[in-house]
Amino acid sequence: MSLTQREFDREFGELVNRIQKKATPFPHDTTERKIARKKRAERDKFFFAATYFPHYVQLRDDYRDVWKDPSAKIDWVVAGFSPAHLEFFATADLFQTFSILAAFRESAKDTLLGKIDVLHKILFESRFFIPVIAKTEIKAETKCVPVKVELETNLRLRTDFRDQTGSVEWEFGSFITRGGRKMKGYGREQSLRGEENFGHRPDHIILNDVNDPTKPDSPALVQKFIDSVKEDILMSVNSPRWSALFLCNYTVKGDIVDALMTGKNTSHFNKRIYRALVTNELESKEDRAIAARCRAE
């Protein structure tokens, strides 16, 4: 099944409006400035994010127009990004590694890694085939559509990277760009093994929203998906230049996330946990006692 036009308008109409309002063309632009922006954006994903996605990225006032000087030295944490975001982007570029990135809600993992990083890989052509796997095919499609919408409506991207609309395949949850880069959504029951894009196997796999914490899977379904990850998903690649991310929240014992974090034969996975509350190492015994009493009241 695919999204209907009505479903698309309901879910993504507001995003289209925000892109058109915020990602406006660069004023007084020149070819030299365009080249400088792209060179900096290729090597600096934070510059890429801040320059082309003002509808997502909110920085301090004095950093909002960083695109005006592509040569500037910028401390991106001071500018407004989280220290964790430095690790987010680094993790997304690890080759031959399946990374489980369990981060708290509103940590921007879906925005930075499910959208902006994917667009960086597509536009700078560092990957050929990016499958997104979710609990259902429709849910996976909703992860692909925002990337497709950016390519269609973001005037900053279209100015610097030309029109990327493909003629071979350009659908809601599956598209191939003019440069031959593919993104497609899959439900977790679908097999990824054997899928390819003009001879290229998946080389950047994203697992996102593969389970619903409010509707826990049975142990049998959890094990079925774990087996799928090990025997199908991670076996679908055939290139040394592949990477894979599992974007998730670590909240429920016994679910898919917990099984991949603590289960047998998972020690070779790259496991990263980002907590909303960081332990205060300077906290005294008295401070802890007061906190315990507050929680009990």
Side-chain angles (χ1 to χ4, degrees):
M1 293 180 64
S2 296
L3 293 174
T4 65
Q5 186 62 48
R6 179 175 294 179
E7 289 170 335
F8 174 88
D9 291 340
R10 183 175 64 249
E11 292 199 37
F12 301 105
E14 182 181 345
L15 173 60
V16 172
N17 291 335
R18 281 195 290 124
I19 293 172
Q20 293 175 337
K21 182 178 179 180
K22 293 285 187 178
T24 53
F26 301 105
H28 313 297
D29 206 14
T30 64
T31 300
E32 290 74 16
R33 290 175 180 175
K34 173 181 175 179
I35 293 172
R37 283 194 304 267
K38 289 182 65 177
K39 284 185 176 180
R40 175 67 180 269
E42 183 172 14
R43 69 176 188 273
D44 185 345
K45 289 185 181 179
F46 290 99
F47 183 85
F48 179 72
T51 298
Y52 298 103
F53 307 96
H55 45 289
Y56 283 131
V57 177
Q58 295 182 349
L59 302 180
R60 285 174 39 183
D61 289 345
D62 45 337
Y63 289 92
R64 288 183 178 176
D65 294 331
V66 294
W67 49 267
K68 291 182 177 179
D69 184 6
S71 63
K73 294 183 179 180
I74 301 171
D75 184 323
W76 291 110
V77 174
V78 172
F81 285 97
S82 164
H85 295 157
L86 303 175
E87 294 187 27
F88 280 17
F89 281 139
T91 300
D93 284 337
L94 294 175
F95 284 124
Q96 294 179 288
T97 303
F98 175 48
S99 297
I100 306 169
L101 200 149
F104 58 93
R105 296 188 184 280
E106 304 303 323
S107 62
K109 60 183 180 296
D110 189 60
T111 298
L112 294 179
L113 300 181
K115 300 180 180 72
I116 293 175
D117 181 72
V118 167
L119 281 159
H120 190 278
K121 287 176 166 57
I122 288 173
L123 293 169
F124 287 106
E125 301 186 345
S126 64
R127 299 295 193 278
F128 281 95
F129 184 10
I130 303 177
V132 179
I133 301 167
K135 186 170 185 178
T136 66
E137 184 178 4
I138 291 179
K139 172 60 77 172
E141 284 184 338
T142 67
K143 302 297 182 182
C144 297
V145 172
V147 175
K148 176 173 172 284
V149 167
E150 293 287 348
L151 295 173
E152 291 173 337
T153 63
N154 188 318
L155 292 181
R156 293 189 175 187
L157 290 180
R158 292 175 70 86
T159 295
D160 284 4
F161 298 92
R162 70 178 183 167
D163 179 11
Q164 288 293 325
T165 303
S167 58
V168 175
E169 184 174 336
W170 198 258
E171 302 173 2
F172 285 129
S174 180
F175 61 86
I176 300 174
T177 67
R178 183 176 178 178
R181 312 300 162 161
K182 182 174 182 176
M183 186 178 190
K184 183 176 180 179
Y186 295 84
R188 73 183 194 186
E189 298 295 325
Q190 296 174 271
S191 175
L192 193 59
R193 204 162 182 171
E195 294 287 285
E196 61 180 49
N197 172 34
F198 295 108
H200 296 282
R201 300 287 188 182
D203 51 7
H204 184 64
I205 303 169
I206 300 176
L207 288 76
N208 198 353
D209 282 350
V210 298
N211 61 340
D212 183 350
T214 66
K215 298 177 182 178
D217 292 312
S218 67
L221 286 176
V222 170
Q223 188 58 50
K224 181 180 179 182
F225 185 71
I226 299 305
D227 292 341
S228 175
V229 170
K230 296 177 180 178
E231 300 169 11
D232 182 275
I233 295 171
L234 295 181
M235 294 295 178
S236 67
V237 303
N238 65 355
S239 165
R241 294 181 61 82
W242 66 268
S243 48
L245 294 175
F246 181 15
L247 307 180
C248 56
N249 306 118
Y250 195 4
T251 57
V252 181
K253 290 294 182 181
D255 70 352
I256 290 171
V257 179
D258 184 48
L260 287 171
M261 281 287 195
T262 64
K264 294 181 180 179
N265 303 317
T266 64
S267 60
H268 57 298
F269 297 156
N270 179 34
K271 304 169 185 179
R272 312 295 299 174
I273 299 176
Y274 300 89
R275 304 180 187 278
L277 296 177
V278 179
T279 303
N280 182 3
E281 301 296 338
L282 301 178
E283 186 179 45
S284 67
K285 291 183 178 179
E286 182 180 357
D287 292 332
R288 290 193 290 272
I290 292 172
R293 287 199 299 273
C294 290
R295 289 193 296 270
E297 292 178 355

